Structures are given as C-alpha cells and as structure tokens.
Amino acid sequence: MRTQVYDVAELNEEALRNIDVAGKILAEGGLVAFPTETVYGLGANAMNPAAAADIYLAKGRPSDNPLIVHIADISQLEKLASGQMEVALALAEAFWPGPLTMILPKQKCVPDVTTGGLNTVAVRMPQDAAALELIRRAGVPVAAPSANLSGRPSPTAGAHVIQDLFGRVDVILTGNDCRIGIESTILDLTGEKAVVLRPGLLTPEELGTVLGYIPEIDPGILKKPGSEEGQNPAPRAPGMKYKHYAPKAPMEIFSGDPRRVRQAIADKKAAAEAEGKAVGVILFEENAFERAAHDLFARLRDMDDRGVDLILAGAVNDRDSRGFALMNRMLKSAGYRITHV
Ligand code: AMP
Ligand code: MG
C-alpha cells in the first residue's frame, strides 16, 4: 500500500489541506495514523465494519481486543453510548478533551468489529488539535488503537509510526511528540460504581472530584496475565490479557531503596557486560512522573533500535497514582520480572 506522510506539527494552511484529505480518506474507509496527546492512534471510520476490521489487519492485533472510538464533540457521545449518561457527561465536561476513555453500553449503530464483539463501547475525545481537526473533517467517529504493530511499545513520535506502519496504512500524520506519552485512563461506567480498567496520568483521585468517590482499580490490573491468580476468563478490558508494550530485549525491574536499586543495576550491568552483552538502563528521576511517562516508550524503542541484549530499569514510586500507571506499563514491558532489593 502507498502511504502518504504529512507533517501536521504546525496547523498551517498546508497542514489543514492535508488533514482534510486524510479526513476524506477516513470517511471513505481508509486508514489514517494521527498524533494525540497520549500516544499516536491508528484510525478508521468506527461506523464502517470493513474499515474497522482493516485496523486489526494493519496492526496484527487480535480481533477480540476492542478499539477506542474517538470523537471531536461531546454531543457525539450520546449517539454511540447509553447508560449512565449523566455521570458520563459530567466527566466529559470536566476532563475532555483529554486522556480519559469511558466505557458505556453501546448503541446499536456501533458495529461489533469496533467493540470486539462486546455490547459496550469505549469513547474518548483527544486533546491534540490535529486529531480533533481530523475527526471533525472525517465527519464520523474514528476508531483508533495505538498506532504500533501489535506487541510493540506504543508510538509517541511520528518516526515510531513510520517505522511500524509505513506501507500498511493510507496516511500517516506526524506531529510533535505526544505530550503525555502513555495511553489514556480507561474508566468503566457500566456497573453501579465506576472502575478504572487501565491506569493513566489522569488519576482515580482526580476522577473522584467529579464522581464523588475515588473509583477502585480493577483487580485484574494488579495481576500478571496468564498467571494462576491472573486467570480470568473474561477480563473487563480485553486488552489486559494480551502481552503489550514489549521491547525486543528482556527487561528486568529492580525495586526498593533507591541507592540499593542503583547498586543492583550497576552490578547486574557489569556482570552482563563481562559476558559481552549490550545493556540498556532506565532510571527515572524520583517522582518526575510526567517526564518519565513522556519518555518511557521512546526509551524502549530506542533500545530496540540500538539492539541491546538486556534492559535494566529502576521501579518508580507506585504509591503515587501516576507512578502506579507508569509501573503498569513497565511491568508489562518487563513481562512482570521484578526483583526487590
Ligand atoms: P489501545 O488503544 O491499543 O491502547 O487499546 C485500547 C484499549 O481499550 C484496550 O486495552 C481495550 O481492551 C480497551 N477497550 C476498548 N473498548 C473496550 C470496551 N468496550 N470494554 C473494555 N475495554 C475496552
Ligand atoms: Mg495499544
């Protein structure tokens, strides 16, 4: 497939013309990758089953892992979803456009392919100006998972998307690096109480200011998928059962007192290098959660590109909700290999 790459970092006249072209391609059933403030998305017309199915093909993604539907206006929410709309609209007013995805019962018009066969739909309004412009010009809701090949770290720069999807999609819009850098917080609103299905930089505490209570985190998130205790035949966020964000090299996390963590990493690095291995180290500044989220996936991809044999990382403070969201991504990347020192 021929892929057009358009730079939309600055929304000048040329960029707007190209976004218009991309919007028409989306409306007609094509695939367009685009920047958002969380990670890059791989978009298709959410209301067109064949187009949505093409997303799974382009990514190599299992088709029972549902897609998030992106909208550009709060009024689109009621056309896609039903259920606790009062709560949903209050959350939308407070946090959209932004890194919040809400799960609600779906309306009939949303095709099964888009929801991975579920009777619920995931909806988000992204904050990135190019993304909003694209969705507006497409004139339809845009289904979009992260714009990486299935299993690779989510893309946070245009170059990452080109690396994974060039030749597999119609258009790649490249912009500035994603401001946030990890995926949206997913909040399930189908039960009596809201539940966080995927932690993100928008925290349960912040959601609590609108909900009136701090939502619980789905217990499935804390468990290793496929493990004895993680055995859950129907995980609430189907994505939870898949291996995600994995760099090519094995990764190991060390947690505990920061000085001991540094020492353990230095020792293990020296030992691996003595065996002729190339070692990559990820140590974030303490409690600099935003910076760490912004950098994490780019660091993992950089290590893949450099062909390191082993990645050693220091745990971040997961008593902070943003640190918890980061550790969720890091643990997945490391296949849950963590050593307490
Ligand atoms: P991605 O955009 O690749 O990060 O993946 C989207 C995430 O949203 C996946 O983990 C999905 O399982 C989750 N998701 C999408 N739709 C639903 C839904 N209706 N119910 C629960 N989780 C969903
Ligand atoms: Mg993804």
Side-chain angles (χ1 to χ4, degrees), residues 185-239:
T185 303
I186 301 185
L187 189 68
D188 183 352
L189 291 175
T190 60
E192 201 184 311
K193 287 220 155 177
V195 177
V196 173
L197 298 188
R198 178 170 73 187
L201 285 202
L202 180 65
T203 64
E205 294 80 9
E206 288 170 279
L207 292 165
T209 61
V210 173
L211 288 168
Y213 60 92
I214 297 176
E216 303 243 332
I217 301 208
D218 187 283
I221 291 173
L222 308 167
K223 294 170 188 156
K224 175 179 173 174
S227 70
E228 189 81 351
E229 33 155 33
Q231 280 306 344
N232 182 350
R236 288 227 262 173

Side-chain angles (χ1 to χ4, degrees), residues 35-92:
T36 85
E37 80 281 20
T38 56
V39 302
Y40 274 75
L42 167 56
N45 179 346
M47 311 313 272
N48 175 338
D54 282 344
I55 289 180
Y56 294 102
L57 280 181
K59 278 191 65 131
R61 178 186 178 111
S63 60
D64 60 346
N65 192 356
L67 308 170
I68 293 173
V69 179
H70 293 70
I71 59 178
D73 194 295
I74 291 183
S75 66
Q76 284 177 290
L77 178 62
E78 286 166 292
K79 295 185 187 131
L80 300 167
S82 59
Q84 301 186 39
M85 293 310 286
E86 238 170 84
V87 182
L89 288 171
L91 289 164

Side-chain angles (χ1 to χ4, degrees), residues 220-286:
I221 291 173
L222 308 167
K223 294 170 188 156
K224 175 179 173 174
S227 70
E228 189 81 351
E229 33 155 33
Q231 280 306 344
N232 182 350
R236 288 227 262 173
M240 295 194 308
K241 73 179 179 214
Y242 295 108
K243 190 172 174 215
H244 254 164
Y245 325 114
K248 287 176 192 142
M251 173 167 160
E252 208 176 316
I253 302 173
F254 294 85
S255 72
D257 169 72
R259 253 179 316 164
R260 282 218 292 276
V261 164
R262 277 172 197 275
Q263 193 56 53
I265 289 178
D267 292 347
K268 180 110 194 193
K269 180 169 185 274
E273 284 174 346
E275 291 171 15
K277 287 185 178 159
V279 180
V281 171
I282 299 181
L283 269 171
F284 294 118
E285 196 189 315
E286 232 178 300

Side-chain angles (χ1 to χ4, degrees), residues 11-25:
L11 280 189
N12 53 29
E13 234 172 85
E14 191 190 344
L16 288 172
R17 253 199 323 274
N18 289 330
I19 290 175
D20 198 57
V21 170
K24 289 204 173 86
I25 289 173

